[in-house]
Amino acid sequence: MPKNFICHCYLIMAFNKKLLAKRFKKALPTYDQEARIQALMAKELVNLLFSLREQFEKVLEIGIGTGLFTVSFFDKYQPNFMIALDLVSDNFLDLAKKYPLFLLKADAESLPFKKENFDLVVSNATFQWFTNPEKTLVELAKIIKPGGLLAFSTFGPSTMKELFPTKRPPGILSSQEWLSIKPASFIPLVQKEWQETLFFESPKEALAHVKKTGALGYLKSSWSVKDYRSWERKYRNLATKAGYPLTFEPIVMIWRKEL
């Protein structure tokens, strides 16, 4: 096999979108309080965007959720037109009262927009949920105007490594894997990745944090007592003076579509 060969076969995942939507709907009341890492990612994404461009005419946000990214975006920008979509629409009414945008319940992997429609497509902590990221990037490239930007944050392979020591969660890709499936029409402008660690008083509290942000996503929700005790015993071996660690690896990327 050639040294630089990259297999993309693992990039198509059989995910249950209904399960994903159900878990994020359940997490809506607790998300903003618990999503400390996602909030950091949102602010970093906005700041990096603002360093490149200070105005956008037409904007699409993918995965608006509770508006965690949106509030930071409107602190810097006043687009002429903005539309935001999400699988979960339960909080759309509240969001519509706060922000001058249109809201659409839709799947980002089945977009209803015409070609070359937006000069910014942006998303915070959502791309890891794509079932076919390579195909979705191709479709996103179609709806972005020449010279427009695709800006997104997601999570890298070290994310929640304490919960998944032997294999990464489904949908988690490294920055190099994202670049390997980047459509040729995109030119990378920004790539930033780092690690953040939260600490909890107990393994149970760490697991509760993940559930309260909806981050279990597509994963199996029910453990046997034996499975849970085995996981808890291994996790206790990771205890530090600061508490039980839970690592996250944020990735921010900004690409420009060729003119």
Short mmCIF file of all heavy atoms in Angstrom, two decimals, residues 14-25 27 31 38 87 125-126 128-130 160 163-164 169-172 207 209-222:
data_model
loop_
_atom_site.label_atom_id
_atom_site.label_comp_id
_atom_site.label_asym_id
_atom_site.label_seq_id
_atom_site.Cartn_x
_atom_site.Cartn_y
_atom_site.Cartn_z
N ALA A 14 -23.36 4.87 9.43
CA ALA A 14 -24.79 4.59 9.52
C ALA A 14 -25.32 5.14 10.84
O ALA A 14 -25.36 4.44 11.85
CB ALA A 14 -25.04 3.08 9.42
N PHE A 15 -25.71 6.40 10.82
CA PHE A 15 -26.18 7.06 12.03
C PHE A 15 -27.71 7.14 12.03
O PHE A 15 -28.35 7.18 10.99
CB PHE A 15 -25.63 8.48 12.13
CG PHE A 15 -24.16 8.55 12.45
CD1 PHE A 15 -23.43 9.68 12.11
CD2 PHE A 15 -23.51 7.52 13.08
CE1 PHE A 15 -22.08 9.77 12.40
CE2 PHE A 15 -22.16 7.60 13.39
CZ PHE A 15 -21.45 8.73 13.04
N ASN A 16 -28.26 7.21 13.22
CA ASN A 16 -29.69 7.35 13.40
C ASN A 16 -30.00 8.82 13.71
O ASN A 16 -29.82 9.27 14.84
CB ASN A 16 -30.16 6.43 14.55
CG ASN A 16 -31.66 6.45 14.73
OD1 ASN A 16 -32.34 7.40 14.36
ND2 ASN A 16 -32.18 5.39 15.33
N LYS A 17 -30.44 9.57 12.71
CA LYS A 17 -30.69 11.00 12.89
C LYS A 17 -31.83 11.27 13.87
O LYS A 17 -31.83 12.26 14.59
CB LYS A 17 -31.00 11.66 11.54
CG LYS A 17 -29.81 11.74 10.59
CD LYS A 17 -28.83 12.80 11.03
CE LYS A 17 -27.63 12.90 10.08
NZ LYS A 17 -27.93 13.61 8.84
N LYS A 18 -32.81 10.37 13.92
CA LYS A 18 -33.91 10.55 14.87
C LYS A 18 -33.41 10.44 16.30
O LYS A 18 -33.85 11.19 17.18
CB LYS A 18 -35.02 9.52 14.60
CG LYS A 18 -35.78 9.76 13.30
CD LYS A 18 -36.91 8.76 13.15
CE LYS A 18 -37.72 9.04 11.88
NZ LYS A 18 -38.83 8.07 11.69
N LEU A 19 -32.50 9.50 16.55
CA LEU A 19 -31.92 9.35 17.88
C LEU A 19 -31.11 10.59 18.24
O LEU A 19 -31.18 11.09 19.37
CB LEU A 19 -31.04 8.11 17.94
CG LEU A 19 -30.28 7.86 19.25
CD1 LEU A 19 -31.24 7.71 20.42
CD2 LEU A 19 -29.37 6.64 19.13
N LEU A 20 -30.34 11.09 17.28
CA LEU A 20 -29.55 12.30 17.51
C LEU A 20 -30.44 13.47 17.88
O LEU A 20 -30.19 14.19 18.87
CB LEU A 20 -28.74 12.63 16.26
CG LEU A 20 -27.85 13.87 16.33
CD1 LEU A 20 -26.73 13.66 17.33
CD2 LEU A 20 -27.28 14.20 14.95
N ALA A 21 -31.51 13.68 17.11
CA ALA A 21 -32.43 14.78 17.38
C ALA A 21 -33.10 14.62 18.74
O ALA A 21 -33.28 15.59 19.49
CB ALA A 21 -33.49 14.87 16.28
N LYS A 22 -33.46 13.39 19.09
CA LYS A 22 -34.11 13.13 20.37
C LYS A 22 -33.20 13.49 21.53
O LYS A 22 -33.63 14.11 22.52
CB LYS A 22 -34.50 11.65 20.44
CG LYS A 22 -35.16 11.23 21.75
CD LYS A 22 -35.49 9.75 21.74
CE LYS A 22 -36.12 9.31 23.05
NZ LYS A 22 -36.43 7.84 23.05
N ARG A 23 -31.93 13.15 21.43
CA ARG A 23 -30.99 13.43 22.52
C ARG A 23 -30.70 14.92 22.65
O ARG A 23 -30.56 15.43 23.76
CB ARG A 23 -29.71 12.61 22.33
CG ARG A 23 -29.94 11.15 22.64
CD ARG A 23 -28.69 10.33 22.49
NE ARG A 23 -28.92 8.98 23.01
CZ ARG A 23 -28.12 7.96 22.81
NH1 ARG A 23 -27.00 8.14 22.11
NH2 ARG A 23 -28.38 6.78 23.32
N PHE A 24 -30.58 15.63 21.52
CA PHE A 24 -30.34 17.06 21.61
C PHE A 24 -31.59 17.80 22.10
O PHE A 24 -31.49 18.80 22.80
CB PHE A 24 -29.86 17.61 20.28
CG PHE A 24 -28.37 17.50 20.13
CD1 PHE A 24 -27.81 16.52 19.33
CD2 PHE A 24 -27.52 18.35 20.81
CE1 PHE A 24 -26.43 16.40 19.21
CE2 PHE A 24 -26.14 18.24 20.71
CZ PHE A 24 -25.60 17.26 19.91
N LYS A 25 -32.75 17.31 21.73
CA LYS A 25 -33.98 17.91 22.25
C LYS A 25 -34.04 17.78 23.77
O LYS A 25 -34.38 18.74 24.48
CB LYS A 25 -35.20 17.23 21.61
CG LYS A 25 -36.54 17.76 22.11
CD LYS A 25 -37.69 17.05 21.41
CE LYS A 25 -39.03 17.56 21.93
NZ LYS A 25 -40.18 16.90 21.23
N ALA A 27 -31.53 17.57 25.71
CA ALA A 27 -30.44 18.34 26.31
C ALA A 27 -30.64 19.86 26.22
O ALA A 27 -29.86 20.61 26.83
CB ALA A 27 -29.12 17.98 25.64
N TYR A 31 -28.12 22.52 28.01
CA TYR A 31 -26.99 22.64 27.08
C TYR A 31 -26.12 23.85 27.37
O TYR A 31 -24.90 23.74 27.51
CB TYR A 31 -27.50 22.69 25.64
CG TYR A 31 -26.38 22.66 24.62
CD1 TYR A 31 -25.84 21.46 24.19
CD2 TYR A 31 -25.85 23.84 24.10
CE1 TYR A 31 -24.80 21.42 23.27
CE2 TYR A 31 -24.82 23.82 23.18
CZ TYR A 31 -24.30 22.61 22.77
OH TYR A 31 -23.27 22.59 21.88
N GLN A 38 -17.92 24.00 23.93
CA GLN A 38 -18.58 24.47 22.71
C GLN A 38 -18.66 26.00 22.69
O GLN A 38 -18.56 26.62 21.62
CB GLN A 38 -19.98 23.86 22.59
CG GLN A 38 -19.99 22.36 22.32
CD GLN A 38 -19.91 21.51 23.59
OE1 GLN A 38 -19.49 21.97 24.67
NE2 GLN A 38 -20.32 20.25 23.48
N LEU A 87 -31.85 20.19 13.28
CA LEU A 87 -32.75 19.05 13.31
C LEU A 87 -33.85 19.21 14.35
O LEU A 87 -34.91 18.62 14.24
CB LEU A 87 -31.96 17.76 13.63
CG LEU A 87 -31.01 17.22 12.57
CD1 LEU A 87 -30.21 16.06 13.13
CD2 LEU A 87 -31.77 16.78 11.32
N ALA A 125 -19.44 23.11 16.20
CA ALA A 125 -19.61 21.83 16.91
C ALA A 125 -20.76 20.99 16.36
O ALA A 125 -21.56 20.44 17.12
CB ALA A 125 -19.80 22.07 18.41
N THR A 126 -20.81 20.90 15.03
CA THR A 126 -21.89 20.14 14.38
C THR A 126 -21.38 19.15 13.35
O THR A 126 -21.98 18.09 13.17
CB THR A 126 -22.89 21.10 13.70
OG1 THR A 126 -23.48 21.95 14.68
CG2 THR A 126 -23.99 20.35 12.97
N GLN A 128 -19.28 16.92 13.22
CA GLN A 128 -18.99 15.54 13.64
C GLN A 128 -20.22 14.64 13.56
O GLN A 128 -20.11 13.42 13.67
CB GLN A 128 -18.43 15.52 15.07
CG GLN A 128 -19.40 15.92 16.16
CD GLN A 128 -19.41 17.43 16.40
OE1 GLN A 128 -18.85 18.20 15.62
NE2 GLN A 128 -20.02 17.85 17.49
N TRP A 129 -21.40 15.24 13.35
CA TRP A 129 -22.62 14.45 13.26
C TRP A 129 -22.99 14.08 11.83
O TRP A 129 -24.00 13.41 11.61
CB TRP A 129 -23.79 15.20 13.91
CG TRP A 129 -23.53 15.58 15.34
CD1 TRP A 129 -23.51 16.84 15.86
CD2 TRP A 129 -23.25 14.70 16.44
NE1 TRP A 129 -23.23 16.81 17.19
CE2 TRP A 129 -23.07 15.50 17.59
CE3 TRP A 129 -23.14 13.32 16.55
CZ2 TRP A 129 -22.79 14.96 18.83
CZ3 TRP A 129 -22.85 12.77 17.80
CH2 TRP A 129 -22.68 13.59 18.92
N PHE A 130 -22.21 14.50 10.85
CA PHE A 130 -22.51 14.16 9.46
C PHE A 130 -22.34 12.66 9.23
O PHE A 130 -21.34 12.07 9.66
CB PHE A 130 -21.59 14.91 8.50
CG PHE A 130 -21.86 16.39 8.40
CD1 PHE A 130 -20.92 17.25 7.85
CD2 PHE A 130 -23.06 16.94 8.84
CE1 PHE A 130 -21.16 18.60 7.75
CE2 PHE A 130 -23.31 18.30 8.75
CZ PHE A 130 -22.35 19.13 8.21
N MET A 160 -12.90 13.21 24.45
CA MET A 160 -13.48 12.21 25.34
C MET A 160 -12.71 10.89 25.31
O MET A 160 -13.30 9.81 25.41
CB MET A 160 -14.97 12.00 25.03
CG MET A 160 -15.81 13.24 25.22
SD MET A 160 -17.60 12.97 25.23
CE MET A 160 -17.89 12.46 23.53
N LEU A 163 -13.42 8.36 27.94
CA LEU A 163 -14.61 7.52 27.81
C LEU A 163 -14.44 6.45 26.74
O LEU A 163 -15.09 5.41 26.79
CB LEU A 163 -15.84 8.38 27.47
CG LEU A 163 -16.26 9.44 28.48
CD1 LEU A 163 -17.56 10.09 28.04
CD2 LEU A 163 -16.42 8.84 29.87
N PHE A 164 -13.58 6.74 25.76
CA PHE A 164 -13.40 5.84 24.63
C PHE A 164 -11.90 5.57 24.43
O PHE A 164 -11.29 6.04 23.47
CB PHE A 164 -13.99 6.45 23.35
CG PHE A 164 -15.42 6.90 23.51
CD1 PHE A 164 -15.71 8.23 23.78
CD2 PHE A 164 -16.45 5.99 23.41
CE1 PHE A 164 -17.02 8.64 23.94
CE2 PHE A 164 -17.76 6.39 23.57
CZ PHE A 164 -18.06 7.72 23.85
N PRO A 169 -15.02 8.04 19.09
CA PRO A 169 -16.46 8.03 18.82
C PRO A 169 -16.73 8.17 17.32
O PRO A 169 -15.92 8.75 16.59
CB PRO A 169 -16.98 9.25 19.58
CG PRO A 169 -15.94 9.54 20.60
CD PRO A 169 -14.64 9.14 19.98
N PRO A 170 -17.86 7.65 16.83
CA PRO A 170 -18.17 7.77 15.41
C PRO A 170 -18.30 9.23 14.99
O PRO A 170 -18.82 10.06 15.73
CB PRO A 170 -19.51 7.03 15.28
CG PRO A 170 -20.09 7.01 16.66
CD PRO A 170 -18.92 6.96 17.59
N GLY A 171 -17.82 9.55 13.79
CA GLY A 171 -17.93 10.91 13.26
C GLY A 171 -16.77 11.82 13.61
O GLY A 171 -16.66 12.91 13.05
N ILE A 172 -15.92 11.39 14.51
CA ILE A 172 -14.78 12.22 14.93
C ILE A 172 -13.63 12.03 13.94
O ILE A 172 -13.12 10.93 13.77
CB ILE A 172 -14.31 11.85 16.34
CG1 ILE A 172 -15.43 12.14 17.36
CG2 ILE A 172 -13.05 12.62 16.71
CD1 ILE A 172 -15.73 13.59 17.57
N LEU A 207 -19.94 11.63 33.12
CA LEU A 207 -20.88 11.03 32.19
C LEU A 207 -22.16 11.86 32.09
O LEU A 207 -22.72 12.03 31.00
CB LEU A 207 -21.20 9.60 32.63
CG LEU A 207 -22.00 8.75 31.65
CD1 LEU A 207 -21.26 8.60 30.33
CD2 LEU A 207 -22.27 7.37 32.25
N HIS A 209 -22.36 15.06 32.44
CA HIS A 209 -22.03 16.24 31.62
C HIS A 209 -22.20 15.93 30.14
O HIS A 209 -22.78 16.73 29.39
CB HIS A 209 -20.60 16.68 31.90
CG HIS A 209 -20.06 17.64 30.90
ND1 HIS A 209 -20.36 18.99 30.91
CD2 HIS A 209 -19.25 17.45 29.80
CE1 HIS A 209 -19.77 19.58 29.90
NE2 HIS A 209 -19.09 18.67 29.21
N VAL A 210 -21.71 14.79 29.72
CA VAL A 210 -21.80 14.41 28.31
C VAL A 210 -23.27 14.28 27.90
O VAL A 210 -23.68 14.77 26.83
CB VAL A 210 -21.05 13.09 28.06
CG1 VAL A 210 -21.25 12.61 26.63
CG2 VAL A 210 -19.56 13.27 28.35
N LYS A 211 -24.08 13.67 28.74
CA LYS A 211 -25.50 13.51 28.42
C LYS A 211 -26.21 14.85 28.36
O LYS A 211 -27.08 15.07 27.50
CB LYS A 211 -26.17 12.63 29.48
CG LYS A 211 -25.76 11.17 29.43
CD LYS A 211 -26.50 10.36 30.47
CE LYS A 211 -26.15 8.88 30.39
NZ LYS A 211 -26.87 8.08 31.42
N LYS A 212 -25.86 15.78 29.24
CA LYS A 212 -26.54 17.08 29.30
C LYS A 212 -26.19 17.99 28.14
O LYS A 212 -26.84 19.03 27.96
CB LYS A 212 -26.22 17.76 30.63
CG LYS A 212 -26.89 17.11 31.82
CD LYS A 212 -26.49 17.76 33.14
CE LYS A 212 -27.14 17.09 34.33
NZ LYS A 212 -26.71 17.72 35.62
N THR A 213 -25.17 17.64 27.36
CA THR A 213 -24.86 18.41 26.16
C THR A 213 -25.32 17.67 24.90
O THR A 213 -25.09 18.14 23.78
CB THR A 213 -23.35 18.68 26.03
OG1 THR A 213 -22.65 17.44 25.98
CG2 THR A 213 -22.86 19.52 27.19
N GLY A 214 -25.95 16.52 25.06
CA GLY A 214 -26.39 15.74 23.91
C GLY A 214 -25.27 15.04 23.19
O GLY A 214 -25.47 14.47 22.11
N ALA A 215 -24.06 15.05 23.76
CA ALA A 215 -22.88 14.58 23.05
C ALA A 215 -22.79 13.07 22.92
O ALA A 215 -21.89 12.56 22.25
CB ALA A 215 -21.62 15.12 23.73
N LEU A 216 -23.71 12.33 23.56
CA LEU A 216 -23.73 10.89 23.31
C LEU A 216 -24.19 10.59 21.90
O LEU A 216 -23.91 9.53 21.35
CB LEU A 216 -24.63 10.18 24.32
CG LEU A 216 -24.06 9.99 25.72
CD1 LEU A 216 -25.08 9.30 26.61
CD2 LEU A 216 -22.76 9.20 25.70
N GLY A 217 -24.92 11.56 21.32
CA GLY A 217 -25.27 11.47 19.90
C GLY A 217 -25.90 10.16 19.51
O GLY A 217 -26.99 9.81 19.93
N TYR A 218 -25.17 9.41 18.67
CA TYR A 218 -25.68 8.15 18.14
C TYR A 218 -25.28 6.95 18.97
O TYR A 218 -25.61 5.81 18.62
CB TYR A 218 -25.12 7.93 16.72
CG TYR A 218 -25.36 9.03 15.75
CD1 TYR A 218 -24.32 9.86 15.35
CD2 TYR A 218 -26.62 9.25 15.20
CE1 TYR A 218 -24.53 10.87 14.43
CE2 TYR A 218 -26.84 10.25 14.29
CZ TYR A 218 -25.79 11.06 13.89
OH TYR A 218 -26.00 12.05 12.98
N LEU A 219 -24.53 7.16 20.05
CA LEU A 219 -23.95 6.04 20.78
C LEU A 219 -24.99 5.27 21.59
O LEU A 219 -26.02 5.81 22.00
CB LEU A 219 -22.85 6.54 21.72
CG LEU A 219 -21.65 7.18 21.01
CD1 LEU A 219 -20.73 7.81 22.05
CD2 LEU A 219 -20.90 6.16 20.17
N LYS A 220 -24.68 4.01 21.85
CA LYS A 220 -25.56 3.15 22.64
C LYS A 220 -25.81 3.77 24.00
O LYS A 220 -24.89 4.18 24.70
CB LYS A 220 -24.91 1.78 22.81
CG LYS A 220 -25.77 0.77 23.54
CD LYS A 220 -25.08 -0.58 23.62
CE LYS A 220 -23.93 -0.58 24.59
NZ LYS A 220 -23.38 -1.94 24.84
N SER A 221 -27.07 3.88 24.39
CA SER A 221 -27.43 4.60 25.61
C SER A 221 -27.48 3.71 26.85
O SER A 221 -27.40 4.20 27.97
CB SER A 221 -28.79 5.29 25.44
OG SER A 221 -29.79 4.34 25.16
N SER A 222 -27.66 2.42 26.67
CA SER A 222 -27.84 1.54 27.82
C SER A 222 -26.63 0.65 28.03
O SER A 222 -26.20 -0.06 27.12
CB SER A 222 -29.10 0.67 27.63
OG SER A 222 -29.00 -0.08 26.45
#
